[in-house]
Every structure is written in C-alpha cells, then in structure tokens.
Amino acid sequence: MMTAATILSFLLPLAGTVMLAFSGERLGPRGSTFIGVGSVGLAALATAWALLAYSGASQGVTLWTWVAVGDFQPTMGLTVDRLSLLMMAVITGVGFLIHLFAAWYMAGEAGITRFYAWMNLFVFSMLTLVLADNLLLLFLGWEGVGLCSYGLIGYYYQHEANNWAAFKAFIVTRIGDVFLALGMFLIFVELGTLDIGQVLEQAPRVWAEGSTTANIAALLILGGALGKSAQVPLHTWLPDAMAGPTPVSALIHAATMVTAGVYLIARLNGLFLLAPDVLLLVGVIGAVSLLLAAFAALAQTDIKRVLAYSTMSQIGYMFVALGVGAFDAAIFHLTTHAFFKALLFLSAGSVIISCHHEQEMDKLGGLWRKLPVAYAGFIVGGAALVALPLISAGFFSKDEILWQAMAADQTGLLIAGLLGAVLTGLYTVRLILGTFHGEPGSDHARHPEPGRNPFTHHLPLIVLAVLSTFLGAWLYPGLGELFPAAPGETSDTSHTLLQVLATGAVIAGLALAGWLFVMRRQWLHSIAGKGAGARCWALLNRAWGFDALFKWGLVRPWQWLVRGLRFDFINRGMNLLALIARAGNAGLVRTQNGRVRTYACVMVLGVTVILISLVLTSGGGR
Amino acid sequence: MNGIPMEHGLMLAAILFALGLAGLMLRRSMLFILMSLEIMLNAAGLAFIVGSTAWNQPDGQAMFLLVITLAAAEASVGLALMIQLYQRFHSLKLDNVSRMRG
Amino acid sequence: MILLWLILIPFFGSLLCWQAERWNQQAPRWIALGTMLLVLVTSLVLWVGGDFSPPGVSESPWLLEWRVPWIPRFGIEIHLAMDGLSLILVALAGLLGALAVLCSWNEIVQRVGFFHLNLLFIMSGVVGVFLALDLFLFFLFWEAMLVPMYFLIALWGHSGSPGQTRIRAATRFFIYTQASGLLMLVAILALVFVNYSNTGVMTFSYNALLDADVPDGLAFWLMLGFFIAFAVKLPVVPLHGWLPDAHAQAPTAGSVDLAGILLKTAAYGILRFAIPLFPEQSQAFAPVAMTLGLVGIFYGAILACGQQDIKRLIAYTSISHMGFVLIALYSGSELAMQGAIVIMVAHAFSSAGLFILSGQLYERVKTRDMRQMGGLWGRIPTLPGFTMFFVAASLGMPATANFIGEFMVLFGTFPSAPVVVVIASGGLVLAAIYSLLLMQRVHFGRETSQGQLAGPDAREYAMMLLLLGLTLAVGLNPQPLLDTTSSMVQPVAALFSDSAGLAVQAEEVD
C-alpha cells in the first residue's frame, strides 16, 4: 500500500508535466493552472496516504534495473524511510501550498503552461532525489531540480539579466555537481556499489576512520552539497536566482532544492563520520556562510534578496548542525525553515504583486494597514526566522542546533551561531520596517491592490503561518534513531543555559534593531551615506565581492580563452598545408610560360647537369 | 674514307649539333628553329655514320635512314604548323604564340 | 543473403529515386522514405529475433554471416557479417536515413531525384561499412560513403558564414577523409603482405588477419595508420578541420547523416578493426589516445562557446562528445566501451534532433546566425520546448541517453585512469555552458523582431517526438541495447586486459 502511494506521489507531478508539456496552448491558463496545482495536490494526498500507511520500517521497491554491466548495476529503486517520508511531506505539502499561491500570483502572466510544467517537473525531480535508493538515481533528481531551477529563474525570458541569472545558477551548481559525480566514481571504485544502504554498510569496512580516501570521498560529496545549498564559495548564484517568479523562489530557492545538500549529507552520514575532518569543515563552512550571508542581508534593498541571503544564512545553520554530527537537528531546522521561509517568500510575493511588481524596499513602506494578510505573514514568518522564544517554530530548531554545537564543544561554531542570531534579528526587523512601516516610497506603495482570493491567496499564507508557530515544531516527528547519536545525547551540558543564551541573543538582536532602525534612523543613514560607512555598505551590498572574484578569476579568463580560440587555430594550422600547396603551384606555374625556346633552354640545362653529374660520379667511381 | 679519323667526324657532328642547338635556343623565328632542328637531326645522323664506319657495322647506316625519314616527317608537320600559325598570327615569331601556354 | 540485401536495398532504391523524378516531384521522397524504413524494419526484425547471449567457444560470434569469393587471386571475398554492434548501428542508420529524408521534405526543391540518390548511396555505403568483414570490402565501402556526401554538400549546401562556400567545405571534407583513407589503405595492404610473406596465403579476411604475426615496430605504424583514418572521421583534434565547415555548409539532411552516422563509422572502425587487429599496440597507444580525447573534449567545448552560427556550434559540440567516446574506447574497460556505444546512439539522437531543429529554425527565420535570433520562445510554439529537451540531452541531463553514456564511460574509465576522468568531468561543466548558451542566444532574450512564426507541422512534430522518445527510452532503460552489444564488447575489452597482462608479464620477465 505504502509503496503504491509513494510511487503515485511522484508519478502524479510527472503526469502533470507531461500533460502540460504536450498540451501546446490548448489548455488555456485556467486548465493549465488546474492541472498544475491539482497534480501536486493529489501528490500531497498520496503522500498523506503513504504517511498513514507507514509501518515504521524502511521499505524499498525496485522498479527496474537501470543499467547492468558487470558490477555496475544501479537500479531505479526507491527507499521509503522516515527521512524520505518527511522530505516527501515537506515537498508535496509546502509545494502544494506554493502551487496554490502561484495560481493567484501568476494569474494573467503569459506562459502559465510552461510555468506549471516546470514546477511539476521540479516536484517530481525533488521527490526522486529524496526517494532514490542509489546515488545515480539521486543524481537524476539532483540534476533535474537544477534544470527546473534554470527554467524557472529564466521564466521572464525576455529580460537578459534573468537569463544570465538562470545560466549562472545552473553553471555554478553544475560545478558542484561535478564534484558529486567524482565522489560517486570514487565510491563505486572503492566500495563496488552505489546503493546508499550498501555504501553506508560497506564504508566502515573498507575505509578506516580518517583515511585519506574516505576524506576525499566526503570532500567531493561536500562539494556537490555546497553548490546546491548555496554555501561559500559556491553561493553566488542564489541571490541572483531571485529573478524568477516569487513562488519559484519560495519553493525552489528556499523550501526544498537548496536544502538538498543538507539532505545529501544527512543521508550519507556514515560516510562523513568516517571523515571527521571533513565533517568539521562542513560545520566551519556553514558558520562562515551564515555570518557572511547575514551581514550581506543587512545591506540589501530588494526584499527578495534579503530573503535570499537569509536563506543562505539559515542553511548555514543546518550545515553547522551537520558539522557537529547533529543530523537530526539539521533536518529539524530544514523542516521548520521550509515552513517559515516559504511563508516569508509568499508574503513577499503578495506584497510584490499588490504593489505592481515593486520589490525595492526604498519604494515600499507604510503597507501594514493596507496589506494585513501579508503583514501578518511577515510578522509570523519573521518571528520564526529570528527564533522568537517558545512561540515560533524557528526557536525550537535553531535552539537544538546551538545546543548540539555547545554539547560538541565547538565553541567557535556556537559563537558564530549566536552572533548569527543577533544579525538575523537585525535584518529581519529592517526588512519588516522597511516594507510595511514608514512612508510609502512610490505611488505603487501608496495604492496597493491587496490579494483578496480567500482560497488561492489567504489559505496558503494562513496554513504556512500556523506551521511557522510552535505547532510546526511539534509536528516534527524526530528522526533520532535513523542517525548516529548526536553529541547532545551523550553530553551533560546544561540545555537551559543555552536556551537562556539563545534567547538573550534574539532579544539583543531585536533590541539593537529597534534602537538602530527606529530611534537612530537618521544617524544610520548618514553613516552609510559617506566615507568608510559607504564603502562598508557597498561591500556588504555586493555580499563581500564574491561575484567580482568569480568574474575576474573564472568568467573573464574563460571569455578570453573563448575569444582567443574562436577561429580554431588548429584548423588554421591545417590550412597551412593548403597554403604550401598553393605556393608550390604558383611557383611551378611560372615555368609554364608557353615559350618554346625557354623550354628548350631548360631542357639543355637539364641535360647538361645530368651529363656533368654522370661524368663526375663515374669519374669518382674510377 | 679510311683516311679521316673517327675523332674528326665525331667532332664535326658535335659542332653541327651545338650550332643547331644554339640556333634553336636563340632564334625567334619558327622557320629558323625548324632549320636548326634539321641540323641537329643531321648531326646525330652523321655521328651514326661515323660510328658505323669506324666499327664496320651496318646498324648505323640503318639508323641514319630512320633519321632521314623522321626528319622528313618532322619537317612536313612543322611546316604545316608554321603555315597555320602564320595564317592565324601573321607572324613567325614563336614568342608571340606563347599564350597557348604549351 | 539478408545482409547483402541490407546493402542492396538502399542501392537499388537510390537508382529508383533518381529515375522516379521524371514521373513526379514527390515520388523520390516517398521511395527514399520507404527504402530507409525497409532497412530499419529489417534490422529491427533481426534484433527482435536475434540471440545476443555471449557465444560458446566453438560457436560463431556472428549473428549472420555471408561470404562468397570475389577476386580469389588476391584473396578478396565479399564477406559480410553482423553481430550486435553492427545490428544496432545499421538500425540507427536506417532510422536517421528516414529522418534525413523527412527533414529535407520542404528544404530540398531542386534536383530532388539526384539528392535522394546521393542520400541513399551514403546509406548503402554506411551499411556496407558496418557489415563488411573483408578489409578490402571495408575500404571500398569506406570510400564509397565519401563521394555522395561531397555532392550533398557541394550541390545542396548553403553558404552561411561569409568567406565560406559550400564547395570549399565539400572539398575540404573530401580531401581530409580521402587522405586519411589512403593511410588506411596503405596499412591494410602492408598488413596483408606481411601476412602473405608469413603464411604464403594472400587474404584480406578479417579473421585470418586477426592472427597475423606482425613485427612489433611495423605493427605500431600500421595501428597508427588505422587510427589516423578513424581519427579524422571521429573527429579527433587536431584532425577535425573538416567537420565544422562541412556541418555549417551541408543541408540539414547532410548534417544529420554526418553527425548521426558517419561519425559513428569511425568509432565502429576503432572498435572492430584498430583495437582487435593490434591489441598490444593499442594498449601502448592508449595514453596518447586518451589525451587526445581530453583535448577534444575541451577544445570542442571552448570553440563551441565562441560560435555564432548555430550549426557550427552544434558541430563543435560533436567534437567534444566524441572525445568521451575516444577515451572510452581506449580505456579497455567493458563498462566504458559499452558507455561509448550508448554515447554513439545518444549523440546520434540528440545531435540529429538539434540539427533538424536548426534546419526548422532556418526555414522560419532564414538565418543561422544566432546574433540575429533571440526571444524566439514567445514567437514559435512548441519548437523551443523541444530545443530545451535536446539541449538538456546534449549537456548530459540524467534520464537522457547522453547521461547514461557519459557516466558509464567515466565510471568505467575511473579505475584505470582516474586523472583522465577527473579532467574529463570538467567537460560536464563546459557541456552545460555551451548547451545553455545555445538556448540563451536563440530562444531567450529580447525579441529581435515581431510577429508569430509557424509552429511545427505534423511531420516536424512527429520527428521531434520520435527522437525525444528514443532519447528518454535509452536513457531510462538502456539495458536492451547493452545486452545486444555486450557479446561484441566483452572480447574486445578482454583483449585489452589480456594484452595489458602480457605487457606486465613481459616487463617482469625483462
């Protein structure tokens, strides 16, 4: 029963894609929306069915053998365990709400069919990713979500900038994917299998803890995770990816795809435990990313870019959790983050559409009375984002992460996490104040048209808002027994102390934000306006200049290379042969001048030369 | 005939040949070129005769007959060509017909 | 006998097409289509009915065999044989031949009969190459493919980019392939004469020459002769010069044939002749070949990014893809060689798809210069979606056949040459760059002009759908294909590892 439900849950979005893709334009916007939203809705129902039928044991089903050559026998096989069920629930559940919201958001846009075809394909690919029982099939989903991300970021294809953002997103993640692929090659050669269960079983037998090969394998897989999850240094694509429609940002670039890296590392936990150094590196990268991104979020003016950097920062928290070996905490935060970040993005989408595609904070403001639903969404989502104690979902998950870091004696990571919490409070308050309070910055913000459809607009926001409170945290089933023991289970460090610390950090962040953005607003403006302050602002606004680094380090050299080679110098080199033949021809043609007398002279000359040489050689012989 | 040494005969043949060759290379008129060719052919024939006399072999005489035949044929073809050329170019200068790139 | 008919059907069909033009303009098209479908169906029937399990020791490795003496004095026979690999490639030739006829349905309007004569002549030659076992016969068919291709480019090509004429491209194609064919002829003759002086029997037979005892130094040169002939056709950088010009100037059908089948004859030749005839030398040569493959992957990719002509771009991507094939063929691993066969099939589908699409684009926007395109997604229905699919296939998106092929190659090569695989994997990123650049420049961006263009008609839609379906089918379940070819690949891979073992033993003895 459960396997049937599982298969159904990912076949339905695929069926939706196929129907939409081959419909041409026959379905019309209404029909496309119906199929696009409906297929994911049915998939969510199928997932619910699978959840109900779940017996507690992990189940596998092999659809067919993909390839079988010698030892290389990856299958089309699915494994359903608590982790993949949880991911399925998040993907289809949050996915359905976002699809529903998209019905409101995308109304009247051209190319609805294309939009829903990509969205459904994305849901299908993401489900494949989390259900795959072997790395090759996982890679199918992994690349599939990347392609869908490409198609959706570039949805407004007429704007050159969007296309290049999509291009950048695909290429940067593809660089990570190559590392993942190399990791797969190494794992296959060393362990002789790609089946995830067998890999985890074999790895401790073949590799000693901390052995070089295990480290390399873990490092390569980490490379893949960094690309997909937008962590330093492969993070530059995420802010630009906001060029896509907002539901896309909510689904792909906040709730699901970007957390695939976290899922991958959690799934392959046994491999990373064999490489403790790499696992620590995961935590360090997470900490660095969370701080860099939080600082960058402080200096953005586009509300979606603020949210993008905050996504990167929150995924940094998940990486910190992974880095200290608290896989359960990482997945916990992944789940709550999916709820509240989707809520924030959808609320932002509501604001953007209501204000006629205006998303610069400078031009918004004073909207809180006019857009109450979006405002409420921002408040609840923002509370979860800053981890407001006890009432928000984010508090429970983030607290868990910080506690595990503390229990693992990773003081550096803990401090980074606490500092990050302060910064989160700062940028969240700045975002909400800038968008909803103060004076409207433009006519669009003065006369917004709020969304009124109770089903497609209100319902997703309300459901996600409810899930972003402590209720969402309660829903989390806990996956402790799936993973190796987290440091917190064996440590006797006081949890209460940490909760006090974390609460203190949040309060400090909010208080600081209130003081800075409400009381000392003018002062802040004047500092950021000139001198060192302005330079600092520019640096943060450009997110520490990673883009420039890549531009001058990779993109430009590549373009020079392409330009230098464009005319195929090897081919030109081959033309040299033709030139030589031509030159020879030109030289010899000259001798054919048609004067008989010249021919005679040359002939005599030739005879003379032959005679002389004959005489000389025969003379020498004698 | 015995009185003349072979070397003298061959020398004469060589001088005649060289004269013909020089004419061939230097003259521009087709008529003289044809005549030079005749001289060269005859020089070769003379060499054959001298050789056959010196060694008392008939082969050389036979070869001379062949050379004469060849020379006659060559002269007739050459003169015919010359008449054609004259009719077409109104000149016997061979350089003028170099555009045939032969 | 059925093998002979596989060659003769397109041959007679071509003559019929030529004459049929007198009755009706459309007649040659239908005859050509029917002929190609007949070849396809015949090979499919053989496939369904065939038994491709690895043969026993005494059994013949061939599914079908047909031999009669031809010039007994020199030991030349008409010796045709078919195994799994030839069967797959013959079927592929039939399929792409049919597509080539279909895609030129509206494109070719002049000398229709002669066009199809040439098209079917190529097919006849290609099928012959895939079936011939006698080396002389193989060479005959190898050369027979070239002449009609020359006419195809020279007579019906377009002169797209400035400074490039179709005649020039055709001549260049002809000289490259002819010169390399000459090298192969020399190698064949040398091999035959060495065998003659050893055994006193003059024969061009593949089976006999497999056992020929050639002195080591000479064998290396002979192997090189074969390799260069095939390398030009594959093509391997730096011998690729003819390919971009030929593709850019050829009519769509010519490009489809070139990329889809003619390039595959080279990989087939390496797999069938170059490696089995000279296993030890090939083994010694493998590092060089793999390096050339790497150079090809990167060089092709970089140049593809710099092109403005859409067909030249696709042509350079072929060079990049064939780099993977070359690496695989010389890796000596069964997995990688099987992967190479999958890439061959996959590349035939995806590049044929892209070439047909660019032909259809040309019919609509009358240019192949990508600077004059842009924003077509909104102006043409359905075609951009197909382009997206084939672009995804070309960049190796999982679930397409290209992915399976490339990854099998990389997986298979990794144990023996990890460094090569690590570098080659960089090609995956480059593949993404050039493939998406095509998408960006053609279908995305600002519209260069207004107005809706016609969507695909039933014929175009059916062609695209067929290729799409096949790409996905092979990508999701390549096993039937792999089972068919495994009995051919296994011995070749074993040959490689045996000779590696011998070399190691020899070193130990020394």
Side-chain angles (χ1 to χ4, degrees), chain A residues 542-595:
Chain A
R542 275 187 252 120
W544 308 93
F546 275 93
D547 270 329
L549 194 71
F550 278 109
K551 183 177 166 191
W552 289 104
L554 281 177
V555 179
R556 283 297 156 91
W558 167 257
Q559 285 174 337
W560 289 328
L561 194 63
V562 167
R563 209 161 299 157
L565 289 183
R566 179 184 283 169
F567 296 107
D568 201 349
F569 74 95
I570 294 183
N571 193 2
R572 294 276 158 112
M574 284 291 169
N575 283 354
L576 213 61
L577 288 178
L579 283 181
I580 291 172
R582 284 267 172 81
N585 174 37
L588 289 176
V589 152
R590 212 100 356 120
T591 62
Q592 293 278 316
N593 60 2
R595 292 167 198 252

Side-chain angles (χ1 to χ4, degrees), chain A residues 21-26 64-72 74 76 114 118 136-137 139-148 150-151 154-160 162-168 170-172 174-182 184-190 194 220 558 561-563 565-572 574-575 582, chain C residues 168 172 176 237-242 244-245 295 298-299 301-303 305-308 312 316 334-335 338 375-379 381-382 386 388 392 395-399 403-404 406-408 410-411 414-415 418 421-422 425-426 428-434 436-437 439-441 443-447 461 465 468 474-479 482-483:
Chain A
F22 290 104
S23 69
E25 298 291 322
R26 283 187 288 277
W64 69 85
T65 304
W66 198 353
V67 180
V69 177
D71 295 337
F72 186 73
M76 287 282 177
R114 176 162 56 99
W118 277 123
L136 204 66
L137 188 59
F139 196 74
L140 189 154
W142 188 267
E143 290 287 291
V145 293
L147 186 71
C148 298
Y150 169 80
Y155 175 74
Y156 300 115
Y157 62 89
Q158 296 214 337
H159 298 284
E160 210 63 59
N162 293 0
N163 298 325
W164 291 115
F167 186 75
K168 180 176 170 186
F170 193 88
I171 301 300
V172 174
R174 181 90 174 177
I175 293 173
D177 298 348
V178 167
F179 287 111
L180 177 58
L182 288 172
M184 288 201 301
F185 303 150
L186 187 62
I187 286 174
F188 177 70
V189 169
E190 293 274 320
L194 286 173
L220 289 170
W558 167 257
L561 194 63
V562 167
R563 209 161 299 157
L565 289 183
R566 179 184 283 169
F567 296 107
D568 201 349
F569 74 95
I570 294 183
N571 193 2
R572 294 276 158 112
M574 284 291 169
N575 283 354
R582 284 267 172 81
Chain C
R168 223 181 116 130
R172 185 186 280 255
Y176 262 99
V237 174
L239 302 172
H240 65 283
W242 59 274
D245 291 341
V295 171
F298 282 87
Y299 193 75
I302 293 172
L303 271 115
C305 291
Q307 301 307 314
Q308 267 126 19
R312 282 183 88 86
Y316 277 110
E334 188 202 343
L335 182 58
Q338 289 274 42
L376 289 181
W377 195 303
R379 294 178 62 205
T382 317
F386 281 119
M388 186 74 225
L395 67 81
M397 185 55 54
F403 166 77
I404 287 294
E406 280 171 20
F407 268 62
M408 281 173 73
L410 296 174
F411 268 111
F414 194 79
V421 171
V422 169
S425 300
L428 297 178
V429 176
L430 303 189
I433 294 181
Y434 61 65
L436 293 183
L437 270 181
M439 207 62 206
Q440 303 276 107
R441 291 183 185 160
H443 290 299
F444 292 157
R446 194 155 288 287
E447 290 172 359
Y461 200 86
L465 206 58
L468 184 147
V474 177
L476 291 173
N477 192 9
Q479 204 52 40
L482 298 175
D483 287 339

Side-chain angles (χ1 to χ4, degrees), chain A residues 173-537:
Chain A
T173 50
R174 181 90 174 177
I175 293 173
D177 298 348
V178 167
F179 287 111
L180 177 58
L182 288 172
M184 288 201 301
F185 303 150
L186 187 62
I187 286 174
F188 177 70
V189 169
E190 293 274 320
L191 306 180
T193 178
L194 286 173
D195 185 277
I196 293 173
Q198 287 177 21
V199 165
L200 294 181
E201 209 172 289
Q202 287 282 338
R205 284 188 214 146
V206 179
W207 291 330
E209 186 171 324
S211 70
T212 321
T213 333
N215 271 328
I216 294 176
L219 210 56
L220 289 170
I221 288 174
L222 172 62
L226 291 184
K228 231 12 153 221
S229 288
Q231 297 294 291
V232 174
L234 296 177
H235 65 283
T236 54
W237 61 272
L238 185 62
D240 292 345
M242 295 299 128
T246 310
V248 172
S249 313
L251 178 60
I252 301 184
H253 306 118
T256 51
M257 185 188 89
V258 284
T259 53
V262 179
Y263 168 82
L264 179 69
I265 295 179
R267 188 48 103 185
L268 295 175
N269 52 64
L271 207 61
F272 281 85
L273 289 180
L274 288 177
D277 298 343
V278 178
L279 193 60
L280 183 61
L281 182 67
V282 173
V284 172
I285 289 180
V288 171
S289 305
L290 92 85
L291 286 179
L292 286 185
F295 273 114
L298 276 175
Q300 302 302 316
T301 55
D302 182 323
I303 52 178
K304 285 182 74 181
R305 281 180 88 91
V306 176
L307 290 177
Y309 280 112
S310 104
T311 302
M312 182 182 155
S313 173
Q314 297 303 310
I315 296 171
Y317 275 106
M318 298 174 208
F319 269 63
V320 168
L322 297 171
V324 297
F327 302 103
D328 186 33
I331 299 295
F332 188 14
H333 197 54
L334 188 158
T335 314
T336 55
H337 175 256
F339 295 148
F340 68 74
K341 193 49 69 64
L343 172 64
L344 281 169
F345 265 112
L346 293 192
S347 305
S350 173
V351 171
I352 289 169
I353 289 292
S354 299
C355 297
H356 310 278
H357 286 278
E358 186 56 70
Q359 52 191 66
E360 288 290 315
M361 270 198 273
D362 301 342
K363 301 196 174 148
L364 296 170
L367 292 168
W368 65 283
R369 268 178 206 285
K370 293 168 191 154
L371 304 174
V373 181
Y375 184 54
F378 258 95
I379 291 293
V380 177
L385 178 59
V386 300
L388 211 61
L390 298 176
I391 55 163
S392 72
F395 172 72
F396 295 96
S397 52
K398 206 183 270 184
D399 168 69
E400 181 77 13
I401 292 176
L402 294 176
W403 181 54
Q404 297 286 5
M406 189 167 164
D409 282 334
Q410 294 293 351
T411 322
L413 298 184
L414 174 66
I415 292 174
L418 288 173
L419 188 56
V422 176
L423 293 169
T424 310
L426 272 177
Y427 69 69
T428 310
V429 170
R430 178 173 170 270
L431 172 67
I432 293 177
L433 288 180
T435 313
F436 289 99
H437 294 273
E439 287 302 308
S442 67
D443 282 345
H444 289 324
R446 249 170 242 124
H447 311 289
E449 290 173 20
R452 295 193 196 282
N453 190 324
F455 188 59
T456 56
H457 178 260
H458 296 348
L459 183 68
L461 291 179
I462 292 169
V463 173
L464 285 171
V466 171
L467 289 173
S468 300
T469 62
F470 58 95
L471 292 173
W474 284 359
L475 275 182
Y476 181 69
L479 303 172
E481 71 274 24
L482 262 182
F483 297 119
E489 286 172 34
T490 51
S491 161
D492 50 359
T493 328
S494 162
H495 198 158
T496 327
L497 172 66
L498 184 271
Q499 281 179 328
V500 172
L501 271 178
T503 309
V506 171
I507 306 261
L510 292 179
L512 186 63
W515 180 68
L516 274 178
F517 297 123
V518 182
M519 322 274 278
R520 307 296 299 270
R521 221 180 144 74
Q522 297 305 321
W523 176 73
L524 206 61
H525 262 287
S526 63
I527 281 200
K530 60 175 191 292
R535 269 199 293 280
C536 200
W537 167 272

Side-chain angles (χ1 to χ4, degrees), chain C residues 205-256:
Chain C
S205 157
Y206 176 70
N207 292 333
L209 293 175
L210 275 182
D211 306 328
D213 185 23
V214 187
D216 260 353
L218 180 64
F220 189 81
W221 287 107
L222 297 188
M223 188 277 300
L224 216 55
F226 276 95
F227 177 78
I228 291 177
F230 296 134
V232 166
K233 211 45 165 295
L234 195 56
V236 175
V237 174
L239 302 172
H240 65 283
W242 59 274
L243 183 89
D245 291 341
H247 269 309
Q249 255 64 253
T252 308
S255 297
V256 169

Side-chain angles (χ1 to χ4, degrees), chain A residues 19-21 23-25 27-29 32 111-118 155:
Chain A
M19 280 170 73
L20 291 167
S23 69
E25 298 291 322
L27 285 171
S32 297
I112 295 276
T113 313
R114 176 162 56 99
F115 176 80
Y116 278 111
W118 277 123
Y155 175 74

